[in-house]
Amino acid sequence: MNYWLLKSEPSVFSLDDLRRAPGGRDHWDGVRNYQARNHLRAMTEGDQAFFYHSNCATPAIVGIVEICCSAYPDHTAFDPHSPYYDPKSDPEHPRWHMVDVRFLQALPRPVTLQELKQQMRQHPEIANLPLLKRGCRLSVMPVSPQAWHAILQLAQE
DNA sequence: GCCAACGTTGGC
DNA sequence: GCCAACGTTGGC
């Protein structure tokens, strides 16, 4: 079982949006960055991921989702009407992939980016999160088991 | 809304 | 292969 972190702008797609989706399940589409895509491809069914709200008033980890399947071609790249359209990707040679995710839970309380930065000293395992590196724009990233459990612990306090 | 940091593109 | 220009991300 691997752990991940998925960024989403809540004004576009929030944890609540996922919770309210049929079966609490939806596609994680629109990833258009090679490093992030490679992380999607490395996911396996049953992995878990933090749901992170970015580009909002209080950036924070707000919940946990489950990865429902391994990566498959992101069809929104083939659709000229999609905001995620990429003419360089076609069904014969798909360039972008996505997974399905399912809502598991909201954290007992959100763990904010500000708090994560403050906790870096006491919890060095958290400092390894790419999220906390300056100027990090990666929207799909791995989370070490140590960091995962440290953050879950924070959310209980 | 600002702007620093970053990834991508394309001329050379 | 270099690197300037550009568009995007995302914290603040």
Side-chain angles (χ1 to χ4, degrees), chain A residues 93-151:
Chain A
H93 304 92
R95 172 176 296 203
W96 305 112
H97 290 80
M98 61 184 177
V99 296
D100 290 355
V101 300
R102 186 167 63 86
F103 174 89
L104 282 189
Q105 64 170 99
L107 292 185
R109 64 175 185 85
V111 177
T112 66
L113 178 63
Q114 181 188 26
E115 186 180 1
L116 287 169
K117 286 177 173 172
Q118 289 166 353
Q119 292 288 339
M120 279 172 57
R121 281 167 216 158
Q122 287 118 304
H123 302 275
E125 62 274 22
I126 293 178
N128 293 329
L129 272 180
L131 183 72
L132 300 180
K133 302 279 191 289
R134 196 161 78 119
C136 174
R137 291 165 51 177
L138 190 61
S139 63
V140 181
M141 67 187 74
V143 176
S144 72
Q146 293 81 4
W148 180 271
H149 291 109
I151 291 167

Side-chain angles (χ1 to χ4, degrees), chain A residues 2 7 15 26 36 45 48 75 102 120 129-130 135 141 144:
Chain A
N2 300 303
K7 280 185 190 172
L15 182 66
D26 212 336
E45 189 178 341
Q48 293 187 8
H75 55 76
R102 186 167 63 86
M120 279 172 57
L129 272 180
M141 67 187 74
S144 72

Side-chain angles (χ1 to χ4, degrees), chain A residues 12-60:
Chain A
V12 177
F13 189 76
S14 69
L15 182 66
D16 262 356
D17 291 330
L18 180 62
R19 184 175 55 76
R20 286 191 293 254
R25 179 171 170 154
D26 212 336
H27 312 292
W28 200 266
D29 58 15
V31 170
R32 296 292 179 268
N33 167 283
Y34 289 104
Q35 201 179 349
R37 180 204 65 183
N38 292 343
H39 289 316
L40 286 178
R41 287 177 172 176
M43 291 178 174
T44 55
E45 189 178 341
D47 286 355
Q48 293 187 8
F50 284 135
F51 196 114
Y52 176 82
H53 282 171
S54 69
N55 201 15
C56 56
T58 309

